[in-house]
């Protein structure tokens, strides 16, 4: 089901296979529906959908040259290295016969300008709160105060939302008086890899950021402004590919503790 994206659907539906751009950058935040749109394009134009993000080599491009069936090739733009971006430059500029390329992108930061300039930019619209309510399966609209895309709403509802709220509130309220060893044990509750029994770090950071903002509204504690800035900075760093997320989070915890104790960072 595609809702809240009428403008983009109108653009897609106005295309024929001959007029469909050969290289498209589909820009939208996490959970906004980029993969759903990809499947829609694939189905509408009878294109074989193939994600080649994890195998961007010259050999892969050569194999594509040999294919006869029309394909829609997916590349998750924010997950590829500069070296891989250079590999696909010519592929983007001169798409091979029967090949259409869809770059799924959350942010253009970190992408080569030559990559961005070679693509037709299609952006997903922001979702209204009323549209987002359609994706709620639990009676807890606090979720809508934390995330703003259907995919993230679905993801949050499949996790221990209340458990993450409780942990976030504990950090906000107690980290100033916690010892350093106890502070660092908080990282053991988060999944930095594929650990199903722990909280997803990206989702948790969204919740923590929201709870810090809420605490600021309720108390006007000036320290919480710095805490919010630290949290936003960590969220940005966690989006970078191939970083040690656990080490970054542990450093953040120490800095947050220092901040909430009123010391100078």
């Amino acid at each position: 089901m595609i809702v809240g994206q009428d403008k983009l659907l109108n653009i897609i539906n106005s295309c024929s296979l001959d007029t469909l751009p050969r290289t498209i950058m589909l820009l939208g935040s996490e959970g906004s529906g980029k993969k759903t749109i990809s499947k829609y394009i694939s189905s509408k134009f009878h294109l074989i959908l193939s994600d080649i993000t994890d195998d961007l080599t010259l050999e892969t491009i050569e194999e594509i040259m040999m294919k006869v069936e029309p394909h829609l090739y997916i590349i998750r733009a924010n997950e590829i290295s500069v070296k891989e971006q250079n590999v696909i430059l010519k592929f983007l500029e001169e798409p091979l016969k029967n090949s259409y390329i869809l770059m799924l992108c959350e942010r253009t930061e970190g992408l080569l300008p030559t990559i961005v300039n070679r693509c037709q930019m299609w952006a997903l619209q922001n979702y209204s709160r009323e549209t987002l309510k359609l994706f709620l399966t639990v009676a807890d609209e606090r979720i809508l105060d934390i995330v703003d895309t259907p995919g993230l709403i679905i993801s949050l509802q499949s996790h221990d939302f209340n458990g993450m709220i409780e942990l976030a509130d504990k950090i906000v309220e107690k980290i100033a008086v916690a010892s350093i060893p106890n502070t660092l044990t908080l990282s053991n509750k988060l999944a930095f890899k594929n650990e199903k029994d722990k909280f997803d770090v990206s989702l948790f950071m969204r919740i923590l950021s929201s709870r810090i903002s809420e605490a600021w509204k309720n108390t006007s504690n000036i320290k919480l402004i710095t805490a919010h800035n630290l949290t936003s900075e960590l969220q940005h760093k966690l989006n970078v590919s191939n970083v040690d997320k656990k080490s970054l989070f542990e450093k953040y915890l120490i800095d947050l503790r220092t901040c909430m104790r009123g010391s100078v960072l």
Side-chain angles (χ1 to χ4, degrees), residues 137-204:
T137 58
V138 298
D140 194 340
E141 291 195 16
R142 290 180 302 170
I143 291 174
L144 303 182
D145 298 326
I146 295 169
V147 295
D148 57 4
T149 64
L152 288 175
I153 289 172
I154 293 168
S155 185
L156 259 185
Q157 291 175 128
S158 68
H159 288 75
D160 182 4
F161 178 60
N162 287 325
M164 286 192 280
I165 289 282
E166 290 174 7
L167 179 59
D169 287 345
K170 180 179 179 181
I171 289 174
V172 174
E173 296 166 6
K174 303 293 185 182
I175 197 167
V177 297
S179 67
I180 289 179
N182 285 341
T183 297
L184 292 176
T185 61
L186 293 169
S187 66
N188 296 330
K189 298 182 180 294
L190 301 185
F192 298 98
K193 296 181 180 179
N194 295 322
E195 302 160 287
K196 294 183 179 180
D197 58 334
K198 298 182 180 181
F199 297 145
D200 177 271
V201 64
S202 178
L203 289 176
F204 178 74

Side-chain angles (χ1 to χ4, degrees), residues 79-185:
E79 298 179 26
I80 62 176
S81 65
V82 171
K83 179 180 178 181
E84 290 169 324
Q85 291 180 51
N86 281 307
V87 165
I88 64 172
L89 274 176
K90 188 172 179 61
F91 184 43
L92 292 176
E93 187 174 28
E94 301 174 9
L96 303 169
K97 183 179 180 180
N98 287 330
S99 69
Y100 296 81
I101 305 159
L102 192 56
M103 303 283 287
L104 306 187
C105 183
E106 293 178 14
R107 57 199 174 278
T108 57
E109 180 185 357
L111 296 179
L112 298 173
T114 44
I115 289 284
V116 178
N117 293 338
R118 280 166 166 75
C119 298
Q120 177 81 44
M121 190 70 72
W122 284 1
L124 283 90
Q125 298 169 256
N126 293 331
Y127 290 88
S128 69
R129 191 177 180 91
E130 289 304 309
T131 298
L132 292 173
K133 284 181 182 179
L134 299 175
F135 297 89
L136 283 176
T137 58
V138 298
D140 194 340
E141 291 195 16
R142 290 180 302 170
I143 291 174
L144 303 182
D145 298 326
I146 295 169
V147 295
D148 57 4
T149 64
L152 288 175
I153 289 172
I154 293 168
S155 185
L156 259 185
Q157 291 175 128
S158 68
H159 288 75
D160 182 4
F161 178 60
N162 287 325
M164 286 192 280
I165 289 282
E166 290 174 7
L167 179 59
D169 287 345
K170 180 179 179 181
I171 289 174
V172 174
E173 296 166 6
K174 303 293 185 182
I175 197 167
V177 297
S179 67
I180 289 179
N182 285 341
T183 297
L184 292 176
T185 61

